[in-house]
C-alpha cells in the first residue's frame, strides 16, 4: 500500500541521507522509481545492515538497493523471514547474497510468505533438488505465490494423465521432475486447461504414446496453449505443406513447433525462408527449421554462403539446431572445404 502519487509530495530527507551514507546512486532511483523516495517510512540502514551481516560488502549493498529500491520499504522482520526461507534451499549465505545481487526483485517479493514456505517444502518432498528450487525462486517467483494445494493439484493432474497415457509408474517421478525443471510455469495453468489440451491432441488422432512424446518434446509448453490456437496452427501447416491428416501428424511429431507457434509466427518464419530462396518442399523435409527466428536463419545462411555452400540446392539440416549444433555443422563444412586435394605426404615423382 505505497502511494505512487508524486505530484504533491516531497522526498523523505531521512531516506536520502541514509542512501547517501550507503553510497547509493540516488539519481538512478529518481529516474527509475522515484516514488520510493517519497514514502514516509523506510528502512535503508536496517536492510543494509542485514545484507552486510550476510556477507555483502558496501558496493554489493548499494548495487542491490539501486536495482531494487523497494527493498528499503520492507521491515527488518520481513527480510529476516525471507532470509530464513531462502536458507532452506541455499547452501550458505555466500550463495544467498550472490542470488540476491542477481535477482533482488525476486528476493524482496515478501508477500505470500506462508505460501512460499509451504511450496518450498512441497518441492523438496517431490524430489526437486535445492539448486532447481533456487532457480525457481529467482526465475519463476510467481509459482510460490500459489497456495500449495493449487500446485499439488496441477502435479496430480499431470501424474494421472501420464499414467493414463501409458507412462509407467517407475518413470513417472523422473518425468514430472524433468518437466518441472524445464518449465516451472506449468504450475501457473489450471487443471482444466491441461486436461483440455491433452483431449485436443487425442481428438486430433495422436495415439497415447505420441501424446506422451509431444509432452516431453515440448517441455510442458503445450499447457500454455489452448485448443483454438493449436487447431489454427495445424490447419495453417496442412495448407502450406499440402499434406494429409496423417502426414501432418508426422510433421508435428517431427517438429512440435508447428503446434506450439501461432499462425503469425509461423507465417513470418516461412516467409523469411522463402525470401532466401528455400522451397516449401525443402521446409517440409526439414520442418525443424521453423523453430529458428528469421534473424537466426539469415545469419546462418550468410555464414554458410561465405563457404560457398548453396542452401537452395542443399539440405536444410546444416541450418538446424542450437547455436552449438550449428557451429559443429559449420565447422565440418569448413574443414571439408579447406582439406587439400592432393596428399601432402605422398612422394613426388620428379623427372631426372
Amino acid at each position: 500500500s505505497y502511494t505512487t502519487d508524486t505530484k504533491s509530495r516531497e522526498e523523505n530527507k531521512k531516506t536520502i541521507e541514509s542512501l547517501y551514507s550507503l553510497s547509493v546512486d540516488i539519481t538512478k532511483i529518481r529516474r527509475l522509481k522515484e516514488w520510493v523516495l517519497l514514502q514516509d517510512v523506510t528502512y535503508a540502514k536496517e536492510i543494509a545492515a542485514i545484507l552486510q551481516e550476510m556477507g555483502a560488502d558496501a558496493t554489493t549493498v548499494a548495487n542491490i538497493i539501486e536495482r531494487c529500491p523497494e527493498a528499503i520499504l520492507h521491515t527488518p522482520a520481513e527480510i529476516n523471514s525471507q532470509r530464513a526461507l531462502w536458507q532452506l534451499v541455499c547452501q550458505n549465505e555466500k550463495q544467498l547474497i550472490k542470488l540476491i545481487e542477481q535477482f533482488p526483485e525476486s528476493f524482496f517479493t515478501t508477500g505470500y510468505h506462508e505460501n512460499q514456505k509451504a511450496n518450498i517444502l512441497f518441492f523438496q518432498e517431490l524430489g526437486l533438488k535445492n539448486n532447481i528450487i533456487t532457480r525457481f525462486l529467482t526465475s519463476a517467483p510467481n509459482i510460490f505465490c500459489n497456495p500449495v494445494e493449487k500446485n499439488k493439484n496441477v502435479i496430480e493432474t499431470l501424474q494421472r494423465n501420464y499414467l493414463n497415457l501409458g507412462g509407467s509408474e517407475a518413470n513417472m517421478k523422473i518425468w514430472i521432475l524433468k518437466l518441472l525443471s524445464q518449465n516451472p510455469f506449468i504450475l501457473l495453468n489450471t487443471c482444466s486447461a491441461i486436461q483440455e489440451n491433452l483431449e485436443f491432441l487425442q481428438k486430433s488422432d495422436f495415439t497415447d504414446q505420441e501424446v506422451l512424446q509431444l509432452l516431453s518434446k515440448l517441455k510442458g509448453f503445450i499447457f500454455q496453449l489452448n485448443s483454438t490456437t493449436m487447431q489454427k496452427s495445424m490447419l495453417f501447416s496442412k495448407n502450406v505443406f499440402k499434406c494429409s491428416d496423417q502426414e501432418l501428424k508426422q510433421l508435428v511429431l517431427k517438429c512440435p513447433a508447428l503446434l506450439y507457434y501461432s499462425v503469425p509466427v509461423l507465417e513470418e518464419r516461412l516467409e523469411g525462408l522463402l525470401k532466401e530462396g528455400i522451397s516449401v518442399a525443402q521446409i517440409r523435409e526439414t520442418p525443424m527449421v521453423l523453430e529458428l527466428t528469421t534473424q537466426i536463419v539469415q545469419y546462418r545462411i550468410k555464414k554458410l554462403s561465405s563457404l560457398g555452400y548453396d542452401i537452395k540446392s542443399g539440405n536444410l539440416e546444416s541450418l538446424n539446431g542450437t547455436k552449438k549444433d550449428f557451429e559443429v555443422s559449420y565447422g565440418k563444412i569448413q574443414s571439408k572445404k579447406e582439406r587439400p586435394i592432393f596428399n601432402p605426404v605422398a612422394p613426388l615423382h620428379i623427372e631426372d
Side-chain angles (χ1 to χ4, degrees):
S1 60
Y2 307 116
T3 176
T4 53
D5 174 21
T6 60
K7 285 175 189 171
S8 57
R9 307 196 58 196
E10 285 185 3
E11 289 180 353
N12 183 330
K13 284 191 175 65
K14 195 180 168 195
T15 302
I16 301 293
E17 283 165 17
S18 299
L19 293 175
Y20 267 130
S21 70
L22 295 167
S23 303
V24 171
D25 184 346
I26 295 167
T27 55
K28 262 189 194 174
I29 297 177
R30 284 196 182 109
R31 194 169 63 247
L32 297 171
K33 292 182 179 171
E34 193 193 12
W35 60 272
V36 171
L37 304 174
L38 309 179
Q39 304 309 314
D40 295 330
V41 183
T42 59
Y43 302 93
K45 284 190 171 173
E46 293 85 342
I47 301 309
I50 294 171
L51 293 170
Q52 282 163 344
E53 204 179 291
M54 284 191 258
D57 60 22
T59 310
T60 303
V61 171
N63 187 27
I64 289 169
I65 295 173
E66 282 164 15
R67 285 191 57 201
C68 182
E70 305 96 300
I72 66 170
L73 302 176
H74 294 289
T75 65
E78 285 173 328
I79 298 310
N80 278 321
S81 297
Q82 193 74 339
R83 174 185 179 180
L85 194 64
W86 282 47
Q87 279 174 325
L88 293 173
V89 286
C90 283
Q91 295 165 358
N92 49 44
E93 294 209 312
K94 190 182 175 184
Q95 188 202 6
L96 178 52
I97 273 296
K98 205 174 174 187
L99 285 174
I100 297 171
E101 191 177 11
Q102 286 176 297
F103 308 96
E105 290 86 358
S106 300
F107 181 78
F108 290 105
T109 302
T110 60
Y112 309 101
H113 189 83
E114 289 311 308
N115 285 357
Q116 284 188 65
K117 187 172 184 179
N119 279 308
I120 285 174
L121 298 175
F122 166 59
F123 291 142
Q124 286 176 328
E125 281 164 27
L126 203 60
L128 278 170
K129 291 191 166 68
N130 283 344
N131 64 325
I132 301 288
I133 301 172
T134 54
R135 184 156 60 77
F136 288 1
L137 278 169
T138 54
S139 60
N142 292 6
I143 65 171
F144 293 88
C145 302
N146 284 342
V148 73
E149 286 312 314
K150 153 90 169 69
N151 286 342
K152 277 183 181 173
N153 288 341
V154 171
I155 297 293
E156 281 162 15
T157 301
L158 290 168
Q159 289 171 327
R160 189 171 59 252
N161 277 293
Y162 178 77
L163 295 175
N164 290 345
L165 290 165
S168 72
E169 189 89 49
N171 291 334
M172 184 175 69
K173 185 180 176 182
I174 296 164
W175 182 78
I176 283 286
L177 294 181
K178 190 176 179 185
L179 204 61
L180 265 182
S181 59
Q182 287 173 330
N183 180 17
F185 298 102
I186 294 171
L187 295 168
L188 298 178
N189 295 289
T190 62
C191 296
S192 57
I194 290 172
Q195 207 65 50
E196 276 168 35
N197 286 356
L198 292 175
E199 281 167 16
F200 166 77
L201 292 174
Q202 287 170 310
K203 282 175 193 164
S204 302
D205 287 333
F206 287 97
T207 64
D208 288 353
Q209 191 59 44
E210 287 167 344
V211 173
L212 265 187
Q213 194 185 325
L214 277 173
L215 294 191
S216 299
K217 276 192 170 183
L218 279 165
K219 301 174 182 177
F221 288 110
I222 193 164
F223 300 127
Q224 283 157 245
L225 305 173
N226 61 60
S227 53
T228 313
T229 56
M230 286 194 279
Q231 198 161 19
K232 283 178 181 171
S233 296
M234 282 175 75
L235 189 61
F236 172 78
S237 298
K238 189 180 179 181
N239 292 335
V240 165
F241 298 120
K242 296 181 174 48
C243 56
S244 66
D245 288 344
Q246 189 55 36
E247 287 168 331
L248 176 66
K249 206 176 80 164
Q250 291 312 312
L251 281 174
V252 169
L253 287 169
K254 205 171 174 184
C255 174
L258 295 176
L259 193 68
Y260 176 68
Y261 289 121
S262 66
V263 171
V265 169
L266 291 172
E267 255 174 343
E268 186 211 341
R269 292 185 179 185
L270 191 78
E271 213 174 284
L273 288 163
L274 297 176
K275 270 183 188 167
E276 295 292 336
I278 292 164
S279 67
V280 171
Q282 279 178 294
I283 300 166
R284 181 175 168 168
E285 196 59 41
T286 317
M288 294 77 75
V289 78
L290 289 166
E291 291 173 0
L292 305 168
T293 66
T294 306
Q295 289 79 2
I296 291 173
V297 165
Q298 286 169 342
Y299 168 76
R300 292 184 180 183
I301 289 175
K302 204 173 174 182
K303 279 201 83 170
L304 291 170
S305 299
S306 69
L307 296 178
Y309 185 89
D310 184 12
I311 202 77
K312 292 172 217 168
S313 55
N315 190 307
L316 298 188
E317 285 294 339
S318 49
L319 279 181
N320 264 349
T322 61
K323 189 181 176 185
K324 197 177 175 184
D325 296 334
F326 173 71
E327 278 164 8
V328 169
S329 298
Y330 178 78
K332 281 179 184 170
I333 295 167
Q334 193 175 31
S335 61
K336 210 173 182 180
K337 190 178 184 298
E338 289 168 358
R339 200 174 294 144
I341 5 178
F342 67 95
N343 184 349
V345 292
L348 290 174
H349 297 289
I350 303 164
E351 287 179 19
D352 291 337

